[in-house]
Amino acid sequence: IGCEDGSVKLFEVVPGGIQFERNLDRRKGRILCLSWHPSDTHIAAGSIDVLRVFDVCSGQTVKRIMVNYHVQKVKRECVVWSIAFLSSGTVVTSDSFGRVQFWDWQQGTLHESHTVSTSAVLSLAVSQEEDSIVVGTSTGATYQFQLLPVKMGSVEKRWVRTKPFQHHTHDVRAVAHSSTALISGGLDAQLVIRPLMEKVQKKGYEAALRKFTFPHRRLVSCARKARLLLFQFSQHLELWKLGSTEQTGKDGQVLPLCRMPEHLLQLKSKGPEHIYCSCVSPCGSWVAYSTASRFHLYRVQYEGGSVSVHKVPKVPKMLLPAYQLQFSTDSDSLFVASAQGSVHVLQLLEPGGCKRLHTFQPPSGSPEAVYLLASSADGHWLAAVGGDWTIHIYNLKCSKHHCTVPTYSCAVSALAIHPVTNNLVIAYSDQQLFEFSIPEKQYTAWSRTVQNHGLHKLWLERDTPITHITFNPKNPSHILLHDVYMFCVLDKSLPLPDNSALLLNQSALKQLPENARKRQLHAFKICKKFQPLLFADLLDEKCLVMVERPIMDFKTQLPLPIQRKKFGT
């Protein structure tokens, strides 16, 4: 760990955390970046105007290299923002002068210097083969460098800037280099995956540029009975009561509200820690959230037009942080998913208390954090997904493990238990859908049909995973699910579409006569009207709530990007 006071501290990784070992040679100046040599014998550190190389065994500085220089006879500080130590002994630096430089650390000499930007180069990453480097700049541009022969058949090689990309509008603070793609994260809140076409075997989904703006986890929870929404921000929560209307209208018509949405309360998290997860009970009387080191439970009471909130004292001690929180349908219990693979069951007590009833442990003893939970409406079953992608089903009545869903090769992105059939519907990150019968401990006939027939090609090529699944109790054959860019009603009673069929066929069906319409109906009814879609849930059989988060809402809060002068302006 490099520190602001110029020290480099070594920690040993031990079970359950890290343990301080010793300090390396301390010198004047901030340590802004570090990189281990692949042999683990040396560490390179970037500072202001200088890079240093430490011998790990002795802890001493064995080389000090000045990287600053004069610009128009005015000395400026040169900040080394990022550094990489290659197995060949070459040290690669990126700095505030917009340069990427290659150093021989033993001789202290500069091999190559490339100016890629008029402003800072903030980040860099090296491929596993050490023949390609990606760098990110403060102008939002990313560049690839490749180690190529000076001429055809030559043994001598040099670093060449080969590919520029402009996928961000602000600082590119983080980059990564996989075997097939360049990955960058910007201050503009976008994660961009740019495939390297020469590394991709075939054209298709793998060769597509992908951009991610929103986290693939729930930031909104709904109290159906109380018609409340809880919004999770980085360091506070907001509880809102939904508005209502007494009028009806045609499809697509916006109805006037007889009651406006009402902001009921705001809960601020103390300290600098971000909120990991949060939830509101279906009755609206309980709110819970967790940070890295604390779990909080509140009792919310509504009297006339006023709202009061009281913190529940002496909550049970648990292994923190909690990665997911889920209230039971009857609001009598709270399920807490821990970072150590266990699930705690808390009983909620009137007028405002709780006690721990049971802690479920996976039979395998896996310490992987549980990141998704789903409970059944009858209070009988609980499904939990850990970081090893295994889905465990627990029996809440007997307080024991019931079964494990057959392991699949991709991560689970969403799951929910049907309120009528107790079938578990699972969405995976590769867009596949499965239905598992909890009582029978096996996949359902419909699930086997889906796997035999296959899902539509356009469905499988979607960029963003399903983040929420819910059901309509009045129509058991309907599954409601959504990602960031679409909302879908999946009707199990209708046939699955072939690749030759039109997947988004709602507009086309409206133009057809009734007999022709029935022949072209298929299971997927998709709506793309609401984007970006953070949350969708069924309040009752006639009411659906959607939460959009327009990208411009937070882009207007970003600092101005670096302005580059264009020719002729």
Side-chain angles (χ1 to χ4, degrees):
I1 296 177
C3 303
E4 289 285 303
D5 63 0
S7 65
V8 175
K9 303 179 186 295
L10 283 186
F11 290 79
E12 182 184 1
V13 180
V14 297
I18 57 175
Q19 181 176 300
F20 176 74
E21 190 177 282
R22 58 193 169 96
N23 283 313
L24 301 186
D25 182 25
R26 178 179 169 182
R27 297 292 175 90
K28 185 180 179 181
R30 304 158 60 200
I31 302 295
L32 298 169
C33 51
L34 292 171
S35 179
W36 285 83
H37 187 273
S39 67
D40 297 339
T41 57
H42 293 83
I43 296 174
S47 187
I48 295 175
D49 293 334
V50 68
L51 73 87
R52 287 153 51 195
V53 178
F54 298 91
D55 183 288
V56 175
C57 292
S58 66
Q60 296 301 307
T61 301
V62 292
K63 184 64 70 173
R64 184 174 182 270
I65 304 172
M66 300 295 294
V67 298
N68 61 320
Y69 73 109
H70 292 74
V71 178
Q72 297 177 354
K73 298 183 181 180
V74 178
K75 191 174 187 294
R76 296 188 315 182
E77 283 187 340
C78 179
V79 181
V80 180
W81 284 118
S82 192
I83 197 165
F85 211 152
L86 306 185
S87 55
S88 63
T90 300
V91 175
V92 189
T93 62
S94 67
D95 59 42
S96 58
F97 280 60
R99 301 172 304 179
V100 177
Q101 297 185 307
F102 299 83
W103 304 85
D104 181 330
W105 80 266
Q106 290 177 319
Q107 301 296 325
T109 55
L110 179 64
H111 277 328
E112 300 179 47
S113 181
H114 301 263
T115 301
V116 299
S117 176
T118 55
S119 54
V121 181
L122 300 172
S123 52
L124 70 84
V126 185
S127 67
Q128 190 170 0
E129 295 78 16
E130 296 188 350
D131 59 357
S132 177
I133 291 174
V134 57
V135 299
T137 71
S138 57
T139 60
T142 55
Y143 298 90
Q144 184 188 11
F145 287 82
Q146 291 178 278
L147 188 60
L148 301 174
V150 175
K151 58 183 179 180
M152 189 71 71
S154 173
V155 178
E156 183 185 358
K157 293 183 178 181
R158 286 191 177 180
W159 288 96
V160 180
R161 188 177 73 183
T162 53
K163 294 177 185 145
F165 305 108
Q166 186 76 46
H167 298 307
H168 298 275
T169 58
H170 291 67
D171 295 2
V172 179
R173 299 281 181 90
V175 290
H177 199 313
S178 78
S179 59
T180 59
L182 307 179
I183 305 159
S184 56
L187 188 65
D188 58 359
Q190 284 200 119
L191 178 71
V192 177
I193 300 177
R194 179 66 169 82
L196 297 170
M197 299 309 294
E198 68 272 18
K199 301 287 187 179
V200 178
Q201 298 296 323
K202 58 182 180 179
K203 290 185 178 181
Y205 178 69
E206 287 185 357
L209 173 74
R210 280 165 283 167
K211 293 185 178 183
F212 306 103
T213 304
F214 296 98
H216 296 157
R217 61 198 309 266
R218 191 181 67 189
L219 300 176
V220 181
S221 57
C222 177
R224 290 183 180 180
K225 297 174 184 175
R227 300 177 78 88
L228 304 177
L229 287 180
L230 182 71
F231 298 101
Q232 176 183 317
F233 297 86
S234 59
Q235 291 185 302
H236 76 274
L237 303 173
E238 290 186 8
L239 187 66
W240 286 75
K241 186 170 183 65
L242 290 168
S244 59
T245 183
E246 295 176 349
Q247 298 189 25
T248 58
K250 297 179 180 179
D251 183 25
Q253 185 179 350
V254 178
L255 303 178
L257 295 177
C258 62
R259 176 173 176 167
M260 298 300 292
E262 184 181 357
H263 184 202
L264 299 180
L265 64 91
Q266 182 180 95
L267 288 174
K268 291 185 178 180
S269 174
K270 292 182 179 179
E273 294 180 343
H274 284 200
I275 296 173
Y276 271 40
C277 56
S278 60
C279 196
V280 60
S281 64
C283 67
S285 297
W286 302 90
V287 171
Y289 75 89
S290 172
T291 64
S293 62
R294 293 183 179 183
F295 167 73
H296 300 272
L297 179 63
Y298 292 88
R299 182 75 160 94
V300 184
Q301 293 177 312
Y302 311 90
E303 297 176 3
S306 63
V307 179
S308 61
V309 58
H310 304 282
K311 187 176 180 180
V312 176
K314 298 179 181 179
V315 294
K317 289 185 178 180
M318 297 173 288
L319 292 171
L320 296 174
Y323 276 9
Q324 185 76 0
L325 299 169
Q326 177 91 39
F327 285 95
S328 61
T329 305
D330 58 11
S331 300
D332 287 342
S333 301
L334 173 63
F335 309 111
V336 182
S338 83
Q340 302 296 322
S342 58
V343 180
H344 305 285
V345 182
L346 305 184
Q347 182 183 9
L348 304 176
L349 306 172
E350 295 292 348
C354 70
K355 69 176 182 179
R356 180 159 48 187
L357 287 180
H358 189 74
T359 297
F360 290 110
Q361 299 281 358
S364 61
S366 170
E368 294 284 349
V370 176
Y371 68 94
L372 281 178
L373 292 173
S375 61
S376 63
D378 60 7
H380 206 113
W381 308 107
L382 177 70
V385 187
D388 57 359
W389 305 345
T390 303
I391 305 173
H392 295 286
I393 311 293
Y394 298 104
N395 189 320
L396 294 171
K397 299 298 182 184
C398 304
S399 297
K400 67 178 184 179
H401 186 267
H402 176 66
C403 68
T404 301
V405 177
T407 306
Y408 188 63
S409 59
C410 288
V412 180
S413 64
L415 78 167
I417 300 175
H418 199 288
V420 178
T421 63
N422 274 339
N423 290 337
L424 178 68
V425 177
I426 312 160
Y428 288 94
S429 58
D430 64 350
Q431 313 300 352
Q432 291 290 345
L433 298 172
F434 289 82
E435 186 181 49
F436 183 81
S437 172
I438 294 177
E440 297 177 9
K441 302 183 182 180
Q442 63 179 3
Y443 288 120
T444 64
W446 179 81
S447 185
R448 292 192 179 92
T449 300
V450 170
Q451 295 310 305
N452 291 333
H453 183 278
L455 294 171
H456 197 283
K457 179 183 177 182
L458 294 180
W459 176 270
L460 297 176
E461 289 180 352
R462 288 171 19 257
D463 272 351
T464 55
I466 298 298
T467 53
H468 187 63
I469 300 172
T470 189
F471 307 95
N472 183 0
K474 298 293 184 181
N475 197 332
S477 66
H478 284 185
I479 302 172
L480 284 63
L481 30 81
H482 77 85
D483 62 19
V484 176
Y485 299 109
M486 68 94 205
F487 171 75
C488 175
V489 177
L490 178 56
D491 191 340
K492 291 165 53 181
S493 65
L494 294 175
L496 294 167
D498 295 317
N499 284 335
S500 58
L502 190 65
L503 182 65
L504 299 169
N505 65 349
Q506 296 302 296
S507 298
L509 289 178
K510 290 180 180 179
Q511 312 299 323
L512 298 176
E514 188 173 350
N515 290 335
R517 190 185 308 155
K518 287 181 179 178
R519 289 194 299 270
Q520 296 195 28
L521 281 175
H522 59 67
F524 289 85
K525 298 177 177 65
I526 296 174
C527 169
K528 290 197 170 187
K529 181 179 179 180
F530 307 100
Q531 295 184 8
L533 185 58
L534 286 195
F535 182 76
D537 202 2
L538 199 69
L539 291 177
D540 54 53
E541 59 179 304
K542 294 183 179 180
C543 187
L544 188 71
V545 59
M546 301 276 197
V547 178
E548 289 179 298
R549 181 72 165 116
I551 291 177
M552 290 309 296
D553 276 9
F554 60 85
K555 286 208 170 181
T556 54
Q557 300 174 34
L558 295 173
L560 290 173
I562 290 178
Q563 298 296 318
R564 288 173 294 174
K565 184 173 176 61
K566 294 183 179 179
F567 181 76
T569 61

